[in-house]
Amino acid sequence: MAAAGRMARATAINGFIVLLGLVVSGTLLALTGADVAAAAEALVGGSIGSPEAIRQSLVQATPILIAGLGVSFALRAGLVNIGADGQLYMGALFASVVAIFGPQLPWPIASIVMLGAALVGGFLWGALPGWMRARLGMSEVITTLLLNFVAFWIVSWAVHDPIRDPLGGGYPWTPEVPDAARLPALRMGGLIIPSGILLGLAIAAVISFVLHRTQFGFELRVLGDSPAAARWSGIPVSRRIVAALAISGGLAGLAGAAELAGNQLRLSDFFSPGFGFTALVVALVGRATPSGTVAAALFFGALAAGGGSMERVAQVPASTGLVVQGTVIAILVASRSAAARSLASRVRRLVARPRVGVA
Amino acid sequence: MILPLGSMGAPQPDAPARIGADGSVAAVPGGSGATPLVELRGVTKTFGDIVADDDVHLAIAEGEIHALLGENGAGKTTLMRVLAGLTRPDDGDIRWRGAPVHIGSPADAIGLGIGMMHQHDMLVSTLTVEENFELARPRPPLALGLADTRGRVAALTQRYGIDVRPDQRVETLTVGQRQWVNLLRILDGPEVRLLILDEPTASLTQSERDDVFRTLRHLRAGGVAVILIVHKLGEVFEIADRATVMRAGRVVATRPVAETSKEELAALMVGHAVETRLAGATKAPGEVILSVAGLQTTGAARDLVDVSFEVRRGEIVGVAGVDGNGQRELGECLAGIRRPSAGRIEVRGGDVTGTTPPELTRLGVARVPEDRQEHGLALGLRIWENIHLGRSASRHLVRRGVVDTARARRLAADLAARFDVRAQDLEHPVGELSGGNQQKVILARELGDDADLVVAMNPTRGLDISATQFVYEQLAAARSRGGGVLLVSFDLDELLGICDRVLVMSGGRIAGEVSGAGADRTLIGMLMGGEHHVVAGDVAL
Ligand SMILES: Nc1ncnc2c1ncn2[C@@H]1O[C@H](COP(=O)(O)OP(=O)(O)O)[C@@H](O)[C@H]1O
Ligand SMILES: [Mg+2]
């Protein structure tokens, strides 16, 4: 019951922060002389105003949700995975090789095999820094960050040469994923729901179960809270570190496959506009909980879709969406600072003055 | 009153104390007549519905060491924060040398000459000692003068005989050295007339503590008043002139130390009479339950050298020694988190050398780690989860990797009730509990399944009197149901009070053994100091 109350409060606070972020960015926009009303209309219209707008928002949310869940998972074990972008690229690489160049399988087997391949690619790309941390004591913050570049250049080389589409008009990209492997969109009561987002929601549910109901997840949370206590209670710390980063990477890899098979269809070296880094932001804003990560990913997905429409409709640069995003993050971070907490407690005290002197 | 053993550290001339070692207070002003240095009158402070301090009156005389006693939550820290300008009281006023003063900020307090050393140290670990001094002393921006600070710090450390370099990073210091930095930082400021120390001794070893006390006596001789918050009654009688006892936000009594007793102070603190000693073992010890033979380690801070001993059923065996003489390493070997390089550990005759913690739990070995917040608990996790921690091997709590959370919660609730964990419910993070309740959570987890062998390291460190008593009772209960207990402690009073036998460690070895009751403290002191060659023959059984 207490948990439900806390959740409701957190939702209310985050809603307020988002609103504040929108107001602040609106003010900034007004200062540049833009038509704020038109921009706001385009933002809302382009993100939730129509079934197509909603579909766009969900498509944008899918990779950052799935990769964000991966980042959150590692965070719960006390590990900071900055390498989601590279893991996403490796996942997409494995997925495209299997789907495009492997045996042509019927739907849905082709989809499942492709997702499995992506999982393996990301898993390996996450296990590597996990192993370096557990066995060699190297900080995963650095190794995951650097492995991003390695993954990117491997993919860049691959799409320029061995798996390049010969009919691709000279672009460094692969052929399209065959129909049988694509992730379809579902029609649900007037809405168009890309199946990738459903996959993301299902993963969120599974992670929630793993973290809170399984011994494995429990041990990861102990590790994240206190490595010394984990060691004292006999949790195999090294193995858990490798597993947590491998799973984290696997999910980021899966995000790559979902983006590939649900949106772009081709792998290129401009495949990710920084999904992995947005995923990190999503995980942090969502406080590394599955439900928080879902909420944050949906919000940032909507911002991305709405930002595009602002540019098209209201002639406001799409980067305005990034301004909103940045403002919201800044306010969120500030709202969690010690200064904000003491301010909040002061406000609470003013609102409810204790009855001094009553024995 | 028995004085504790002298420090083995650097010899220092004792300050010319004007109070006799027996604690007589004849020379101390502060009774009738003289104006107190500081006087709190009717101070009240509430936090929401909690009344932390309730109409408190307290007068401190110049040149006295005044002990402030009370259970956790009695309101001691809050009251002292009022004096230090860190907390604004709802009501009441303060007089300084008889004149009303307003202490609205730490700067006001420092201006008057009030310095406070906090319960939880406020040093920045990643900075050096001198940088921390710099932080404590506000000065105009751009007027950084580290060179000047370095000289002052060096002078202070030299004067008090502290082995700390000004450019040493705080994170490399021991607990005791950090404490010194805290203290010197206060003495570095404008002249201190009132020094407030909030539980400074909780994590110190005996010799470190002796050094601190020597300094306090020295300050007292110079007319400085000291308010000392402590939990150990022995320390009150050792150093204080007067003692004030608080309970539930109120002052219950102020007594000259010479006119009271441990029993009276303990009773005042908890509101009823308490047993300060445990009854000894009723039965003769039974079969051997723990046997350690020829234990050695390599690569530890203090390596074990050929450590051998036995613990039998129905006895509490203590391990005494100055901190850093191998007790931690011994505990870690027995807890299954350090692999010995040689030797053998047997529990009930079975070899458990180098085995894992879960296996030890399965064998009924309870482990109470030295640092409850670091090693014993995951502070951010819930209370019931912390009870579940390390128990997953037992009682079918986990099936195919899935935790039966309903069952784990029920079991935790059951244990929490048996071990008197005071919490609203078990869904709160364990870090929100008081230190005593945190220790009870660990005891509930470790001793709950009627553990056969208990390995406890400094289990009462920093606990108040009721919580300490509770821990003793639990150890005694383990003994009386036929288990064996190994108690590592830096507190000699504690060891001699509840142990049947005490092993003394020095330099990674077992230097000797004495029987618990009526043991000769001088002998133990010599053993601790590594004089086992001289006396071991007389004491080892
Ligand atoms: N900042 C605070 N906010 C709310 N409650 C507090 C705060 N500080 C202390 N308290 C409460 O006031 C009471 C007295 O606390 P404290 O002065 O720390 O006691 P002591 O130092 O004697 O253990 C306790 O019940 C404690 O929980
Ligand atoms: Mg306190």
Side-chain angles (χ1 to χ4, degrees):
Chain A
M1 293 305 104
R6 237 175 297 159
M7 189 99 114
R9 236 187 83 210
T11 311
I13 291 172
N14 285 329
F16 176 72
I17 285 165
V18 166
L19 209 65
L20 197 62
L22 292 173
V23 170
V24 170
S25 359
T27 311
L28 287 176
L29 209 56
L31 289 177
T32 69
D35 182 348
V36 179
E41 201 182 324
L43 178 67
V44 174
S47 56
I48 52 173
S50 64
E52 172 52 24
I54 292 175
R55 188 190 73 82
Q56 259 310 319
S57 293
L58 294 178
V59 165
Q60 297 288 337
T62 299
I64 57 177
L65 168 59
I66 300 177
L69 288 167
V71 176
S72 296
F73 190 74
L75 272 178
R76 293 304 283 274
L79 299 164
V80 184
N81 178 11
I82 306 188
D85 219 46
Q87 293 144 9
L88 183 140
Y89 263 117
M90 287 314 265
L93 179 64
F94 273 53
S96 53
V97 168
V98 167
I100 302 168
F101 302 98
Q104 296 306 299
L105 301 165
W107 190 87
I109 298 170
S111 279
I112 294 168
V113 168
M114 181 197 63
L115 292 174
L119 203 57
V120 171
F123 190 90
L124 294 174
W125 216 244
L128 181 62
W131 179 81
M132 291 197 273
R133 163 77 196 266
R135 287 274 163 256
L136 311 177
M138 297 167 72
S139 162
E140 80 286 358
V141 176
I142 311 235
T143 52
T144 54
L145 177 67
L146 294 181
L147 282 169
N148 280 329
F149 299 105
V150 182
F152 174 80
W153 289 110
I154 290 175
V155 167
S156 181
W157 163 77
V159 298
H160 273 91
D161 187 25
I163 58 172
R164 178 183 192 145
D165 181 3
L167 311 172
Y171 282 109
W173 61 22
T174 62
E176 289 197 345
V177 171
D179 279 342
R182 293 182 189 176
L183 294 177
L186 311 176
R187 278 178 192 289
M188 294 170 125
L191 290 182
I192 309 155
I193 311 288
S195 46
I197 199 80
L198 299 179
L199 178 67
L201 294 176
I203 292 169
V206 170
I207 287 184
S208 186
F209 180 84
V210 168
L211 283 176
H212 293 284
R213 299 300 305 275
T214 70
Q215 184 66 16
F216 174 70
F218 173 70
E219 293 182 358
L220 291 186
R221 286 189 295 123
V222 173
L223 179 61
D225 193 78
S226 166
R231 207 164 69 88
W232 263 83
S233 65
I235 292 169
V237 171
S238 295
R239 265 187 285 156
R240 293 293 176 266
I241 287 175
V242 177
L245 275 174
I247 291 170
S248 178
L251 291 174
L254 207 55
E259 172 67 12
L260 182 74
N263 189 30
Q264 297 187 31
L265 304 181
R266 296 174 192 269
L267 179 59
S268 63
D269 64 3
F270 44 87
F271 179 75
S272 166
F275 287 133
F277 299 100
T278 311
L280 184 63
V281 172
V282 161
L284 291 173
V285 169
R287 296 189 180 217
T289 65
S291 57
T293 306
V294 168
L298 291 176
F299 173 68
F300 284 117
L303 263 188
S309 121
M310 276 201 292
E311 182 168 53
R312 272 175 277 116
V313 180
Q315 276 79 51
V316 171
S319 51
T320 308
L322 292 178
V323 173
V324 179
Q325 187 175 323
T327 314
V328 168
I329 293 168
I331 295 175
L332 266 177
V333 171
S335 74
R336 290 173 195 176
S337 67
R341 269 199 301 275
S342 92
L343 186 70
S345 79
R346 209 167 302 165
V347 168
R348 263 200 301 279
R349 245 175 300 155
L350 279 181
V351 172
R353 273 233 62 94
R355 303 146 305 277
V356 177
V358 178
Chain B
M1 199 69 298
I2 304 158
L3 279 171
L5 296 158
S7 139
M8 304 295 162
Q12 280 196 8
D14 232 353
R18 51 161 132 167
I19 315 298
D22 60 342
S24 67
V25 285
V28 175
S32 53
T35 313
L37 175 67
V38 68
E39 198 179 354
L40 292 163
R41 294 156 62 117
V43 169
T44 297
K45 175 70 192 175
T46 56
F47 295 104
D49 293 336
I50 298 170
V51 186
D53 290 310
D54 190 2
D55 190 25
V56 172
H57 292 261
L58 181 67
I60 307 293
E62 250 170 276
E64 76 161 326
I65 295 182
H66 196 114
L68 188 57
L69 303 167
E71 303 264 81
N72 287 330
K76 308 179 295 291
T77 298
T78 306
L79 191 67
M80 292 303 107
R81 286 173 60 90
V82 168
L83 268 179
L86 293 162
T87 296
R88 207 153 307 170
D90 302 335
D91 210 352
D93 51 58
I94 303 173
R95 294 187 178 220
W96 184 259
R97 298 198 157 114
V101 285
H102 173 76
I103 305 180
S105 70
D108 290 350
I110 293 168
L112 287 172
I114 300 177
M116 175 165 176
M117 186 160 114
H118 297 274
Q119 188 167 359
H120 304 287
D121 99 32
M122 306 208 168
L123 301 178
V124 181
S125 297
T126 50
L127 296 183
T128 63
V129 172
E130 60 192 347
E131 284 164 345
N132 270 286
F133 268 72
E134 204 57 43
L135 282 180
R137 165 172 260 223
R139 47 163 81 214
L142 304 182
L144 263 178
L146 271 185
D148 167 38
T149 310
R150 176 162 305 186
R152 285 198 333 268
V153 176
L156 277 167
T157 49
Q158 198 168 358
R159 177 160 156 215
Y160 291 98
I162 314 305
D163 184 21
V164 170
R165 281 179 290 109
D167 59 349
Q168 209 171 341
R169 279 214 205 189
V170 166
E171 61 196 353
T172 65
L173 303 181
T174 66
V175 180
Q177 290 173 324
R178 279 180 86 118
Q179 204 71 296
W180 270 112
V181 173
N182 276 308
L183 186 55
L184 297 185
R185 219 161 57 135
I186 297 169
L187 299 178
D188 176 46
E191 199 190 12
V192 174
R193 301 310 304 163
L194 173 64
L195 181 61
I196 302 168
L197 304 171
D198 197 350
E199 301 195 26
T201 57
S203 45
L204 295 188
T205 63
Q206 182 135 357
S207 72
E208 288 170 339
R209 207 204 56 187
D210 289 346
D211 289 342
V212 171
F213 280 7
R214 195 168 300 126
T215 303
L216 295 186
R217 289 195 188 98
H218 181 77
L219 290 168
R220 169 173 64 185
V224 176
V226 178
I227 302 180
L228 182 66
I229 303 182
V230 287
H231 282 309
K232 299 249 162 64
L233 293 172
E235 298 181 350
V236 175
F237 288 88
E238 189 185 331
I239 188 161
D241 305 308
R242 292 196 299 156
T244 291
V245 178
M246 291 185 70
R247 187 166 74 230
R250 291 178 159 271
V251 167
V252 213
T254 296
R255 297 262 190 278
V257 168
E259 292 166 21
T260 183
S261 64
K262 280 190 186 181
E263 287 69 26
E264 188 194 16
L265 291 180
L268 285 168
M269 262 195 268
V270 298
H272 54 82
V274 280
E275 276 296 322
T276 49
R277 277 188 170 246
L278 281 182
T282 45
K283 290 174 283 191
E287 66 189 81
V288 173
I289 180 159
L290 170 70
S291 149
V292 174
L295 210 60
Q296 315 247 20
T297 60
T298 50
R302 168 70 74 179
D303 278 316
L304 298 179
V305 184
D306 192 23
V307 168
S308 305
F309 64 89
E310 286 178 346
V311 175
R312 294 172 173 278
R313 288 187 180 281
E315 66 172 352
I316 299 180
V317 177
V319 177
V322 177
D323 189 11
N325 274 277
Q327 303 96 315
R328 178 168 304 127
E329 289 73 13
L330 174 61
E332 286 175 354
C333 286
L334 295 176
I337 62 160
R338 178 183 290 280
R339 199 171 263 284
S341 56
R344 201 174 155 85
I345 304 171
E346 288 178 3
V347 170
R348 287 188 300 264
D351 187 3
V352 298
T353 321
T355 194
T356 63
E359 186 55 31
L360 289 169
T361 304
R362 215 166 294 139
L363 290 168
V365 181
R367 306 161 312 135
V368 182
E370 174 174 14
D371 185 336
R372 58 180 157 269
Q373 302 207 327
E374 269 279 305
H375 302 141
L377 298 168
L379 294 179
L381 267 59
R382 296 165 181 200
I383 299 168
W384 73 266
E385 290 177 322
N386 271 280
I387 294 180
H388 176 68
L389 181 64
R391 295 175 56 85
S392 43
S394 59
R395 297 227 196 174
H396 316 290
L397 285 169
V398 181
R399 247 170 277 136
R400 292 210 200 110
V402 177
V403 181
D404 187 342
T405 51
R407 192 181 181 128
R409 278 191 167 94
R410 244 183 292 127
L411 189 61
D414 190 40
L415 289 170
R418 264 175 58 199
F419 283 81
D420 193 31
V421 176
R422 306 248 169 96
Q424 267 179 350
D425 62 60
L426 302 186
E427 303 299 323
H428 284 271
V430 80
E432 288 178 8
L433 296 181
S434 69
N437 275 303
Q438 289 179 0
Q439 191 67 302
K440 286 178 184 177
V441 170
I442 294 178
L443 293 177
R445 174 179 77 212
E446 298 294 331
L447 306 184
D449 277 332
D450 298 345
D452 223 13
L453 173 65
V454 182
V455 178
M457 313 204 26
N458 287 307
T460 63
R461 196 183 245 197
L463 299 188
D464 66 26
I465 203 164
S466 325
T468 298
Q469 194 60 23
F470 184 85
V471 172
Y472 293 163
E473 280 160 16
Q474 293 307 319
L475 296 182
R479 168 177 64 186
S480 55
R481 63 169 182 260
V485 178
L486 186 75
L487 170 64
V488 178
S489 175
F490 300 143
D491 183 346
L492 207 49
D493 287 327
E494 166 171 298
L495 290 171
L496 297 181
I498 75 167
C499 294
D500 303 302
R501 296 187 286 138
V502 178
L503 308 169
V504 184
M505 284 193 84
S506 167
R509 306 167 185 272
I510 303 279
E513 179 183 324
V514 296
S515 67
D520 180 350
R521 284 166 184 261
T522 320
L523 194 60
I524 296 179
M526 288 168 80
L527 289 170
M528 287 210 261
E531 314 259 331
H532 59 290
H533 305 298
V534 188
V535 289
D538 300 337
V539 281
L541 294 184

